[in-house]
């Protein structure tokens, strides 16, 4: 990554649009960028590693941290609580690493409120049909759940306008290159213009 101010980068978009897939590939290709590990009250799935995929906590612990103001943002997603720990993000930024958050649409907008300098990237599906196919390919066979998530995803697409960047997740390599390009441009912009524009940014 280009030198410059460290960033909070948010990859967001509706469920099933490809956030995890894109975020993982971006992280492999961007040295200096680290993933923020979310807190969640959902149960670990087979293969999930505590502290690597998520910090799995009880609803009580989640509520306590949230109420103490220890979370950068939090949201209820599919009946579970998710949130990003402020301390963990601060530690990474202080160490000169930019932080990548992979969060839902509501969470992304909360981050922007808390940290106006965050770079918000909204992933768009190439088409309604592909969004539906990807959503059906993820984890559940329950038709009611799928239809609810699909309706929710279609509603969330209307939030795309509130984001700094909108990127279509069609061909993965192209999408990842575009995201890496945005990160590079934003880092350079802040590195070179930051002093002139005062303390704007993260
Ligand atoms: P999200 O994290 O947004 O819920 P995932 O990353 O889990 O979405 O992706 C949902 C599904 O779509 C997965 O089955 C994934 O393999 C597939 N997928 C994601 N990105 C692409 C892409 N660019 N091309 C084809 N399939 C993709
Ligand atoms: P999963 O349980 O499938 O890993 O994630 C479910 C959803 O929670 C995904 O849509 C993901 O974007 C969202 N999510 C994961 N971590 C966070 C977080 O820290 N905050 C918010 N708001 N959403 C999150």
């Amino acid at each position: 990554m280009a030198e410059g101010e460290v960033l909070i980068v948010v990859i967001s978009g509706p469920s099933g649009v490809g956030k995890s897939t894109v975020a993982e590939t971006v992280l492999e290709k961007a040295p200096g960028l680290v993933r923020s590990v979310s807190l969640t009250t959902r149960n670990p799935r087979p293969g999930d590693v505590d502290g690597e995929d998520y910090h799995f906590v009880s609803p009580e612990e989640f509520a306590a941290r949230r109420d103490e103001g220890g979370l950068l943002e939090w949201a209820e997603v599919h009946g579970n609580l998710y949130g990003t720990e402020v301390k963990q993000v601060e530690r990474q930024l202080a160490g000169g690493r930019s932080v990548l958050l992979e969060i839902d649409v509501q969470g992304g907008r909360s981050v922007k409120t808390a940290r106006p300098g965050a770079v918000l990237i909204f992933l768009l599906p190439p088409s309604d049909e592909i969004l539906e196919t990807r959503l059906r390919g993820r984890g559940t066979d329950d038709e009611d759940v799928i239809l609810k998530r699909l309706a929710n995803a279609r509603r969330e697409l209307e939030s795309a306008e509130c984001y700094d960047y909108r990127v279509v997740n069609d061909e993965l390599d192209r999408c990842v290159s575009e995201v890496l390009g945005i990160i590079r441009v934003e880092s350079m912009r802040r590195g070179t213009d930051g002093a002139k524009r005062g303390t704007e940014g993260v």
Side-chain angles (χ1 to χ4, degrees):
M1 198 182 332
E3 283 191 27
E5 201 175 321
V6 285
L7 301 173
I8 294 178
V9 178
V10 173
I11 294 201
S12 191
S15 206
V17 80
K19 294 183 292 297
S20 304
T21 310
V22 172
E24 274 163 29
T25 320
V26 165
L27 283 167
E28 280 167 20
K29 299 192 175 193
L33 185 66
V34 292
R35 179 181 174 199
S36 150
V37 180
S38 309
L39 291 186
T40 180
T41 62
R42 83 154 163 78
N43 291 321
R45 301 186 186 121
D48 276 345
V49 178
D50 190 25
E52 198 171 295
D53 300 301
Y54 286 102
H55 293 292
F56 297 98
V57 297
S58 65
E60 293 72 25
E61 186 176 344
F62 189 99
R65 296 207 200 184
R66 180 195 59 203
D67 297 345
E68 285 161 10
L71 301 184
L72 182 58
E73 53 76 38
W74 69 273
E76 189 174 334
V77 184
H78 309 322
N80 297 301
L81 294 167
Y82 289 83
T84 308
E85 264 186 300
V86 176
K87 260 196 197 153
Q88 185 213 136
V89 171
E90 298 291 354
R91 209 179 308 125
Q92 301 288 9
L93 295 174
R97 290 172 289 272
S98 291
V99 182
L100 182 76
L101 275 63
E102 181 222 313
I103 56 182
D104 76 311
V105 172
Q106 182 196 329
R109 294 173 71 181
S110 309
V111 169
K112 195 71 176 177
T113 306
R115 306 294 292 254
V119 180
L120 256 54
I121 301 174
F122 193 104
L123 291 189
L124 294 160
S127 69
D128 272 12
E129 291 70 29
I130 289 179
L131 175 63
E132 181 162 355
T133 312
R134 289 190 190 163
L135 201 46
R136 285 184 187 281
R138 289 190 66 232
T140 178
D141 290 331
D142 185 327
E143 188 65 13
D144 282 348
V145 171
I146 290 172
L147 291 179
K148 233 194 209 156
R149 289 184 185 177
L150 194 55
N152 196 33
R154 289 187 170 141
R155 202 170 41 244
E156 285 181 343
L157 285 171
E158 290 164 18
S159 305
E161 289 308 313
C162 302
Y163 278 66
D164 301 318
Y165 295 94
R166 290 161 286 283
V167 175
V168 178
N169 179 22
D170 186 352
E171 207 262 302
L172 186 62
D173 283 351
R174 197 170 49 205
C175 175
V176 168
S177 298
E178 204 171 324
V179 171
L180 289 170
I182 291 167
I183 295 170
R184 206 172 302 120
V185 164
E186 287 286 348
S187 306
M188 285 196 322
R189 192 166 71 82
R190 290 157 205 243
T192 53
D193 292 345
K196 266 187 270 161
R197 290 183 293 111
T199 53
E200 167 192 341
V202 289

